[in-house]
Amino acid sequence: MHSEHSTGAELFVEALESYGVTHLFGNPGTTELPIMRAIADSDLTYILGLHEDIAVGMAGGYASARRYQSHHDESVMPLGVVNLHVAPGLAHGLGNIQNAAWSGTPLLVTAGNHSTDFQHEEPILSGELAGMVEEYCKLSAEINDVSNIPTMVRRAVKTALTPPMGPVFLGLPMDVMSAETTADPERLGAVPSPGRGDTSQIEAAAAALESGDDPVLVLGDRVARTGPDAIDAAVGLAEATGAAVYSEMNTCEINFPPDHDQWVSYLTPDPEMGRAAFDADPLVFVGCTTNTPYIPYDEPYIPSEATVIDIDVDDADIAKNNPADVAIVGDPASVMQEVADSVAVSEQQRRARTGDLEDRRSEAASLLGIEAEATSDGGISKERLAEALADAAPNSYLLNESNTSKFALLSRLRPGPEQFVSNKNGGLGYSLPATVGAAVAHRQGDTRRQVVGFIGDGSYLYYPQTLYSAARYDLDLTVVVPNNRNYRILKDGMLDIYGGSDDDYEYVGMDFDPAVDLAANAESHGANGYRVGDESELADTLTAAIESAEPAVVDVPVRD
C-alpha cells in the first residue's frame, strides 16, 4: 500500500503508467479536471483533439500502429487511451468508437462524469454513460468507489488486449477521482491466448483440403492483427494446399503478401465478386469479420455445395451468416500452421490447383474496375495519383479513408504487411485523426517510415480541425486528398441499386458546390497546404510534401 494518500485520479494515472501506457488522447471538460491535474504530475503525454471524435480516432490510429510495433517488441503496450467529457462528449466520440470496434482496436475509452452523489439531480450534460457505449465495447462500466479503481482498470485493460481486441469503456465520476486512497495499482498479469484449436476439427480441415479440387483461402483482417506469424502461416497453408488466396470483403489490412504467386485479389463487398471468388471447394475463411455485401442480394454468394472451413478467434463470428462444415476457434497462426502440417497434397495436385490463377486474377481485376493504364485524358485519374504516391513514398505507413480510390491505391502501391490500415466500419471521420495517432506512434517507435493519410474529400471535411493536433505536436505526416468534389460512393450506390447512368439522376446533396479550399483550410490549422493544379505538378508536389517533415495536406483534384 502507498505510505501516502493519493487521489483516485492519481491512482488511475499510476495504473496506466504501470501497464506501459505513455500517451492519453482527449478533449477535457470540468468533470475531467481531477484527471488533468494528475496527468500534469505524471510522465503521460496528453494529446489534445479539438473534438471528442477526433480524440477517439487519434487514439485508435495510435493503437493500431503500436500493435504492429508490439509484434516485434514485447515491451510495447499497444493500448490506446482516450478521455472524453460526460454524456455529450461520449456521444460525440461514439462514431469513432464504433469504427474502432469494427477495426478490432485495443482502446480504453474513459469519460468523466458528475459526482455519484449529484447524478440523481440530472444536471446538464448528464447521461447513462456505460449504457450509451455498451453496444460497441467489450466491457462497459462506471467506477463508483475509489477502492474499485485498481481492479476495474486492470480488468478493462486486460479485456481490451484479449483477442479479439476491441474497445472498452470506464466512466470516471468526479468525486471518485477526487477521493483519497492508499491503494496501489494491480499488476496486469497475463493476457489470455485463444489457444490452438480443436484437434478433431483440424484433422477434418486437413481432410477436406486433401479431397477438394479447387481450394480457396479467404483471409480476414484478424490475420494481420495476430501478427507476422499468422501471415507466415497463411503463406504456408496456401503453399501446402495450392489454394488461391483472396482477402475478405472490405479488407482493411494486409493479410498476405501481394507479390506471392498464389495471391489473387482484394474483394469488394459486392455479391457478384464474391460469387466469382468463392466458386470453389473447399472454402477456407480465416479471421473474417466483414465478409458480407453492403446491400441486400438475391442469389447466394457462397455456393451451398461447397465445404466451408471457418477459423477465428471468436466463436460468434464463425458461421455467423453461412453454415460451416468445419469450425475451429483458436489463434489463426497456430491453427493454420497445424492444418498446413497435417495436410497431404501432392506436388501434382498443387500445380493443377494453381492452373487457373491467371484467369481468377483477370476476372477480379475486371470486377474491381481498375484502369489498366493510368491515362491522363480529362484530368488526374485515381490510378495516376496512386502511381505517383507509390513513387514518392513506396514504403510509407498508409491510412486510407477514400472509398472510391481505395482499390486503385492498393493495386498501384501494393503495400505489404503492416503497411496499410483502412477504416473497417466505413463511418467517415476516422482515418484522418488515425493518421495523427499513427504519427505519434511512429515517432515514439523511432521508425523512419513516412506516415501518409489517403483521405477522400468527403472524409476530410468531417474533421479538418484534426490538422491542428498534428501542427500542435509537430508531427511528421502527409495527408493526400483524392478530391473529386462529391460523395462519389453515393452516386455509385444509386447506379448499383437503381441502374442507369449519371445523366439519369439529379444527385441531391452529393456534390460539394461551392468547393472548399482544402489547402487553405490546412494552413489555417497550422499545417502546410498544397494544391496540385494539373498532372505535371503531381510528382513534385507529393515529393515536397512528404519530404517536408512537417504536417502537410496535398489536395489533388481527380476525375470520377
Side-chain angles (χ1 to χ4, degrees), residues 21 37 64 72 112-113 143 232 251 293 361 372 378 392 436 472 480:
V21 173
R37 288 185 67 191
S64 292
H72 307 279
N113 202 356
I143 301 178
D232 290 344
T251 191
R361 291 190 189 103
V436 176
R472 178 186 176 103
V480 178

mmCIF file with all atom_site columns, all heavy atoms in Angstrom, residues 21 37 64 72 112-113 143 232 251 293 361 372 378 392 436 472 480:
data_model
loop_
_atom_site.group_PDB
_atom_site.id
_atom_site.type_symbol
_atom_site.label_atom_id
_atom_site.label_alt_id
_atom_site.label_comp_id
_atom_site.label_asym_id
_atom_site.label_entity_id
_atom_site.label_seq_id
_atom_site.pdbx_PDB_ins_code
_atom_site.Cartn_x
_atom_site.Cartn_y
_atom_site.Cartn_z
_atom_site.occupancy
_atom_site.B_iso_or_equiv
_atom_site.pdbx_formal_charge
_atom_site.auth_seq_id
_atom_site.auth_comp_id
_atom_site.auth_asym_id
_atom_site.auth_atom_id
_atom_site.pdbx_PDB_model_num
ATOM 1   N N   . VAL A 1 21  ? 1.414   2.409   -20.529 1.00 0.00 ? 21  VAL A N   1
ATOM 2   C CA  . VAL A 1 21  ? 0.764   3.463   -21.308 1.00 0.00 ? 21  VAL A CA  1
ATOM 3   C C   . VAL A 1 21  ? 1.599   4.738   -21.211 1.00 0.00 ? 21  VAL A C   1
ATOM 4   O O   . VAL A 1 21  ? 2.048   5.117   -20.124 1.00 0.00 ? 21  VAL A O   1
ATOM 5   C CB  . VAL A 1 21  ? -0.667  3.719   -20.797 1.00 0.00 ? 21  VAL A CB  1
ATOM 6   C CG1 . VAL A 1 21  ? -1.294  4.930   -21.489 1.00 0.00 ? 21  VAL A CG1 1
ATOM 7   C CG2 . VAL A 1 21  ? -1.527  2.481   -21.019 1.00 0.00 ? 21  VAL A CG2 1
ATOM 8   N N   . ARG A 1 37  ? -5.231  17.273  -13.657 1.00 0.00 ? 37  ARG A N   1
ATOM 9   C CA  . ARG A 1 37  ? -4.251  17.590  -12.604 1.00 0.00 ? 37  ARG A CA  1
ATOM 10  C C   . ARG A 1 37  ? -3.288  16.440  -12.410 1.00 0.00 ? 37  ARG A C   1
ATOM 11  O O   . ARG A 1 37  ? -2.077  16.646  -12.258 1.00 0.00 ? 37  ARG A O   1
ATOM 12  C CB  . ARG A 1 37  ? -4.964  17.893  -11.286 1.00 0.00 ? 37  ARG A CB  1
ATOM 13  C CG  . ARG A 1 37  ? -5.711  19.210  -11.233 1.00 0.00 ? 37  ARG A CG  1
ATOM 14  C CD  . ARG A 1 37  ? -6.264  19.461  -9.845  1.00 0.00 ? 37  ARG A CD  1
ATOM 15  N NE  . ARG A 1 37  ? -5.203  19.671  -8.860  1.00 0.00 ? 37  ARG A NE  1
ATOM 16  C CZ  . ARG A 1 37  ? -5.392  19.707  -7.532  1.00 0.00 ? 37  ARG A CZ  1
ATOM 17  N NH1 . ARG A 1 37  ? -6.609  19.514  -7.042  1.00 0.00 ? 37  ARG A NH1 1
ATOM 18  N NH2 . ARG A 1 37  ? -4.392  19.919  -6.721  1.00 0.00 ? 37  ARG A NH2 1
ATOM 19  N N   . SER A 1 64  ? -3.502  1.031   -33.312 1.00 0.00 ? 64  SER A N   1
ATOM 20  C CA  . SER A 1 64  ? -3.266  0.110   -34.422 1.00 0.00 ? 64  SER A CA  1
ATOM 21  C C   . SER A 1 64  ? -1.793  0.084   -34.810 1.00 0.00 ? 64  SER A C   1
ATOM 22  O O   . SER A 1 64  ? -1.221  -0.981  -35.075 1.00 0.00 ? 64  SER A O   1
ATOM 23  C CB  . SER A 1 64  ? -4.118  0.507   -35.632 1.00 0.00 ? 64  SER A CB  1
ATOM 24  O OG  . SER A 1 64  ? -5.492  0.308   -35.370 1.00 0.00 ? 64  SER A OG  1
ATOM 25  N N   . HIS A 1 72  ? 6.847   -6.944  -32.801 1.00 0.00 ? 72  HIS A N   1
ATOM 26  C CA  . HIS A 1 72  ? 8.303   -7.065  -32.908 1.00 0.00 ? 72  HIS A CA  1
ATOM 27  C C   . HIS A 1 72  ? 9.022   -6.701  -31.617 1.00 0.00 ? 72  HIS A C   1
ATOM 28  O O   . HIS A 1 72  ? 10.231  -6.932  -31.509 1.00 0.00 ? 72  HIS A O   1
ATOM 29  C CB  . HIS A 1 72  ? 8.799   -6.174  -34.046 1.00 0.00 ? 72  HIS A CB  1
ATOM 30  C CG  . HIS A 1 72  ? 8.099   -6.427  -35.349 1.00 0.00 ? 72  HIS A CG  1
ATOM 31  N ND1 . HIS A 1 72  ? 8.437   -7.469  -36.192 1.00 0.00 ? 72  HIS A ND1 1
ATOM 32  C CD2 . HIS A 1 72  ? 7.042   -5.808  -35.939 1.00 0.00 ? 72  HIS A CD2 1
ATOM 33  C CE1 . HIS A 1 72  ? 7.637   -7.465  -37.244 1.00 0.00 ? 72  HIS A CE1 1
ATOM 34  N NE2 . HIS A 1 72  ? 6.778   -6.470  -37.115 1.00 0.00 ? 72  HIS A NE2 1
ATOM 35  N N   . GLY A 1 112 ? -15.240 11.467  -17.988 1.00 0.00 ? 112 GLY A N   1
ATOM 36  C CA  . GLY A 1 112 ? -15.597 11.984  -16.686 1.00 0.00 ? 112 GLY A CA  1
ATOM 37  C C   . GLY A 1 112 ? -17.104 12.010  -16.523 1.00 0.00 ? 112 GLY A C   1
ATOM 38  O O   . GLY A 1 112 ? -17.855 12.044  -17.506 1.00 0.00 ? 112 GLY A O   1
ATOM 39  N N   . ASN A 1 113 ? -17.553 12.004  -15.284 1.00 0.00 ? 113 ASN A N   1
ATOM 40  C CA  . ASN A 1 113 ? -18.991 12.066  -15.021 1.00 0.00 ? 113 ASN A CA  1
ATOM 41  C C   . ASN A 1 113 ? -19.227 12.922  -13.787 1.00 0.00 ? 113 ASN A C   1
ATOM 42  O O   . ASN A 1 113 ? -18.298 13.198  -13.004 1.00 0.00 ? 113 ASN A O   1
ATOM 43  C CB  . ASN A 1 113 ? -19.569 10.666  -14.827 1.00 0.00 ? 113 ASN A CB  1
ATOM 44  C CG  . ASN A 1 113 ? -21.075 10.623  -15.075 1.00 0.00 ? 113 ASN A CG  1
ATOM 45  O OD1 . ASN A 1 113 ? -21.720 11.641  -15.325 1.00 0.00 ? 113 ASN A OD1 1
ATOM 46  N ND2 . ASN A 1 113 ? -21.650 9.433   -15.013 1.00 0.00 ? 113 ASN A ND2 1
ATOM 47  N N   . ILE A 1 143 ? -16.885 3.361   -12.600 1.00 0.00 ? 143 ILE A N   1
ATOM 48  C CA  . ILE A 1 143 ? -16.223 3.117   -11.314 1.00 0.00 ? 143 ILE A CA  1
ATOM 49  C C   . ILE A 1 143 ? -16.936 3.951   -10.256 1.00 0.00 ? 143 ILE A C   1
ATOM 50  O O   . ILE A 1 143 ? -16.929 5.183   -10.315 1.00 0.00 ? 143 ILE A O   1
ATOM 51  C CB  . ILE A 1 143 ? -14.729 3.485   -11.386 1.00 0.00 ? 143 ILE A CB  1
ATOM 52  C CG1 . ILE A 1 143 ? -14.030 2.669   -12.466 1.00 0.00 ? 143 ILE A CG1 1
ATOM 53  C CG2 . ILE A 1 143 ? -14.055 3.255   -10.039 1.00 0.00 ? 143 ILE A CG2 1
ATOM 54  C CD1 . ILE A 1 143 ? -12.555 3.004   -12.651 1.00 0.00 ? 143 ILE A CD1 1
ATOM 55  N N   . ASP A 1 232 ? 2.729   -15.579 -42.025 1.00 0.00 ? 232 ASP A N   1
ATOM 56  C CA  . ASP A 1 232 ? 3.606   -16.679 -42.457 1.00 0.00 ? 232 ASP A CA  1
ATOM 57  C C   . ASP A 1 232 ? 2.841   -18.004 -42.504 1.00 0.00 ? 232 ASP A C   1
ATOM 58  O O   . ASP A 1 232 ? 3.036   -18.814 -43.420 1.00 0.00 ? 232 ASP A O   1
ATOM 59  C CB  . ASP A 1 232 ? 4.793   -16.813 -41.506 1.00 0.00 ? 232 ASP A CB  1
ATOM 60  C CG  . ASP A 1 232 ? 5.774   -15.656 -41.630 1.00 0.00 ? 232 ASP A CG  1
ATOM 61  O OD1 . ASP A 1 232 ? 5.710   -14.918 -42.630 1.00 0.00 ? 232 ASP A OD1 1
ATOM 62  O OD2 . ASP A 1 232 ? 6.601   -15.486 -40.707 1.00 0.00 ? 232 ASP A OD2 1
ATOM 63  N N   . THR A 1 251 ? -11.667 -5.805  -46.901 1.00 0.00 ? 251 THR A N   1
ATOM 64  C CA  . THR A 1 251 ? -10.448 -5.960  -46.114 1.00 0.00 ? 251 THR A CA  1
ATOM 65  C C   . THR A 1 251 ? -9.814  -4.601  -45.880 1.00 0.00 ? 251 THR A C   1
ATOM 66  O O   . THR A 1 251 ? -9.872  -3.710  -46.729 1.00 0.00 ? 251 THR A O   1
ATOM 67  C CB  . THR A 1 251 ? -9.450  -6.890  -46.829 1.00 0.00 ? 251 THR A CB  1
ATOM 68  O OG1 . THR A 1 251 ? -8.395  -7.232  -45.946 1.00 0.00 ? 251 THR A OG1 1
ATOM 69  C CG2 . THR A 1 251 ? -8.869  -6.236  -48.070 1.00 0.00 ? 251 THR A CG2 1
ATOM 70  N N   . PRO A 1 293 ? -21.817 -8.606  -48.280 1.00 0.00 ? 293 PRO A N   1
ATOM 71  C CA  . PRO A 1 293 ? -22.030 -7.424  -49.127 1.00 0.00 ? 293 PRO A CA  1
ATOM 72  C C   . PRO A 1 293 ? -22.621 -6.250  -48.350 1.00 0.00 ? 293 PRO A C   1
ATOM 73  O O   . PRO A 1 293 ? -23.184 -6.404  -47.265 1.00 0.00 ? 293 PRO A O   1
ATOM 74  C CB  . PRO A 1 293 ? -23.020 -7.936  -50.187 1.00 0.00 ? 293 PRO A CB  1
ATOM 75  C CG  . PRO A 1 293 ? -22.839 -9.418  -50.205 1.00 0.00 ? 293 PRO A CG  1
ATOM 76  C CD  . PRO A 1 293 ? -22.531 -9.801  -48.792 1.00 0.00 ? 293 PRO A CD  1
ATOM 77  N N   . ARG A 1 361 ? -7.327  -13.888 -61.554 1.00 0.00 ? 361 ARG A N   1
ATOM 78  C CA  . ARG A 1 361 ? -6.834  -12.505 -61.428 1.00 0.00 ? 361 ARG A CA  1
ATOM 79  C C   . ARG A 1 361 ? -7.474  -11.597 -62.464 1.00 0.00 ? 361 ARG A C   1
ATOM 80  O O   . ARG A 1 361 ? -7.851  -10.456 -62.168 1.00 0.00 ? 361 ARG A O   1
ATOM 81  C CB  . ARG A 1 361 ? -5.310  -12.472 -61.569 1.00 0.00 ? 361 ARG A CB  1
ATOM 82  C CG  . ARG A 1 361 ? -4.563  -13.116 -60.417 1.00 0.00 ? 361 ARG A CG  1
ATOM 83  C CD  . ARG A 1 361 ? -3.066  -12.848 -60.493 1.00 0.00 ? 361 ARG A CD  1
ATOM 84  N NE  . ARG A 1 361 ? -2.359  -13.640 -59.505 1.00 0.00 ? 361 ARG A NE  1
ATOM 85  C CZ  . ARG A 1 361 ? -1.666  -14.745 -59.767 1.00 0.00 ? 361 ARG A CZ  1
ATOM 86  N NH1 . ARG A 1 361 ? -1.584  -15.183 -61.020 1.00 0.00 ? 361 ARG A NH1 1
ATOM 87  N NH2 . ARG A 1 361 ? -1.069  -15.407 -58.803 1.00 0.00 ? 361 ARG A NH2 1
ATOM 88  N N   . ALA A 1 372 ? -6.451  -0.318  -66.407 1.00 0.00 ? 372 ALA A N   1
ATOM 89  C CA  . ALA A 1 372 ? -5.174  -0.977  -66.687 1.00 0.00 ? 372 ALA A CA  1
ATOM 90  C C   . ALA A 1 372 ? -4.075  0.044   -66.938 1.00 0.00 ? 372 ALA A C   1
ATOM 91  O O   . ALA A 1 372 ? -2.933  -0.138  -66.522 1.00 0.00 ? 372 ALA A O   1
ATOM 92  C CB  . ALA A 1 372 ? -5.323  -1.910  -67.890 1.00 0.00 ? 372 ALA A CB  1
ATOM 93  N N   . GLY A 1 378 ? -8.504  14.159  -69.610 1.00 0.00 ? 378 GLY A N   1
ATOM 94  C CA  . GLY A 1 378 ? -9.617  14.632  -68.797 1.00 0.00 ? 378 GLY A CA  1
ATOM 95  C C   . GLY A 1 378 ? -9.292  14.796  -67.332 1.00 0.00 ? 378 GLY A C   1
ATOM 96  O O   . GLY A 1 378 ? -10.181 14.781  -66.495 1.00 0.00 ? 378 GLY A O   1
ATOM 97  N N   . ALA A 1 392 ? 6.578   8.339   -54.794 1.00 0.00 ? 392 ALA A N   1
ATOM 98  C CA  . ALA A 1 392 ? 7.054   9.300   -53.802 1.00 0.00 ? 392 ALA A CA  1
ATOM 99  C C   . ALA A 1 392 ? 7.258   8.685   -52.426 1.00 0.00 ? 392 ALA A C   1
ATOM 100 O O   . ALA A 1 392 ? 8.150   9.104   -51.682 1.00 0.00 ? 392 ALA A O   1
ATOM 101 C CB  . ALA A 1 392 ? 6.062   10.463  -53.702 1.00 0.00 ? 392 ALA A CB  1
ATOM 102 N N   . VAL A 1 436 ? -2.980  11.034  -37.507 1.00 0.00 ? 436 VAL A N   1
ATOM 103 C CA  . VAL A 1 436 ? -2.261  11.781  -36.474 1.00 0.00 ? 436 VAL A CA  1
ATOM 104 C C   . VAL A 1 436 ? -1.799  10.835  -35.365 1.00 0.00 ? 436 VAL A C   1
ATOM 105 O O   . VAL A 1 436 ? -0.645  10.887  -34.919 1.00 0.00 ? 436 VAL A O   1
ATOM 106 C CB  . VAL A 1 436 ? -3.147  12.903  -35.916 1.00 0.00 ? 436 VAL A CB  1
ATOM 107 C CG1 . VAL A 1 436 ? -2.441  13.626  -34.773 1.00 0.00 ? 436 VAL A CG1 1
ATOM 108 C CG2 . VAL A 1 436 ? -3.513  13.897  -37.018 1.00 0.00 ? 436 VAL A CG2 1
ATOM 109 N N   . ARG A 1 472 ? 0.160   21.173  -33.676 1.00 0.00 ? 472 ARG A N   1
ATOM 110 C CA  . ARG A 1 472 ? 0.458   21.466  -32.264 1.00 0.00 ? 472 ARG A CA  1
ATOM 111 C C   . ARG A 1 472 ? 1.598   20.602  -31.755 1.00 0.00 ? 472 ARG A C   1
ATOM 112 O O   . ARG A 1 472 ? 2.461   21.068  -30.991 1.00 0.00 ? 472 ARG A O   1
ATOM 113 C CB  . ARG A 1 472 ? -0.804  21.241  -31.427 1.00 0.00 ? 472 ARG A CB  1
ATOM 114 C CG  . ARG A 1 472 ? -0.632  21.452  -29.928 1.00 0.00 ? 472 ARG A CG  1
ATOM 115 C CD  . ARG A 1 472 ? -1.902  21.063  -29.184 1.00 0.00 ? 472 ARG A CD  1
ATOM 116 N NE  . ARG A 1 472 ? -1.758  21.148  -27.738 1.00 0.00 ? 472 ARG A NE  1
ATOM 117 C CZ  . ARG A 1 472 ? -2.240  22.128  -26.981 1.00 0.00 ? 472 ARG A CZ  1
ATOM 118 N NH1 . ARG A 1 472 ? -2.895  23.137  -27.538 1.00 0.00 ? 472 ARG A NH1 1
ATOM 119 N NH2 . ARG A 1 472 ? -2.070  22.112  -25.663 1.00 0.00 ? 472 ARG A NH2 1
ATOM 120 N N   . VAL A 1 480 ? -2.922  13.062  -48.173 1.00 0.00 ? 480 VAL A N   1
ATOM 121 C CA  . VAL A 1 480 ? -3.190  13.201  -49.595 1.00 0.00 ? 480 VAL A CA  1
ATOM 122 C C   . VAL A 1 480 ? -4.696  13.041  -49.807 1.00 0.00 ? 480 VAL A C   1
ATOM 123 O O   . VAL A 1 480 ? -5.277  12.026  -49.386 1.00 0.00 ? 480 VAL A O   1
ATOM 124 C CB  . VAL A 1 480 ? -2.417  12.153  -50.413 1.00 0.00 ? 480 VAL A CB  1
ATOM 125 C CG1 . VAL A 1 480 ? -2.738  12.279  -51.903 1.00 0.00 ? 480 VAL A CG1 1
ATOM 126 C CG2 . VAL A 1 480 ? -0.920  12.300  -50.170 1.00 0.00 ? 480 VAL A CG2 1
#
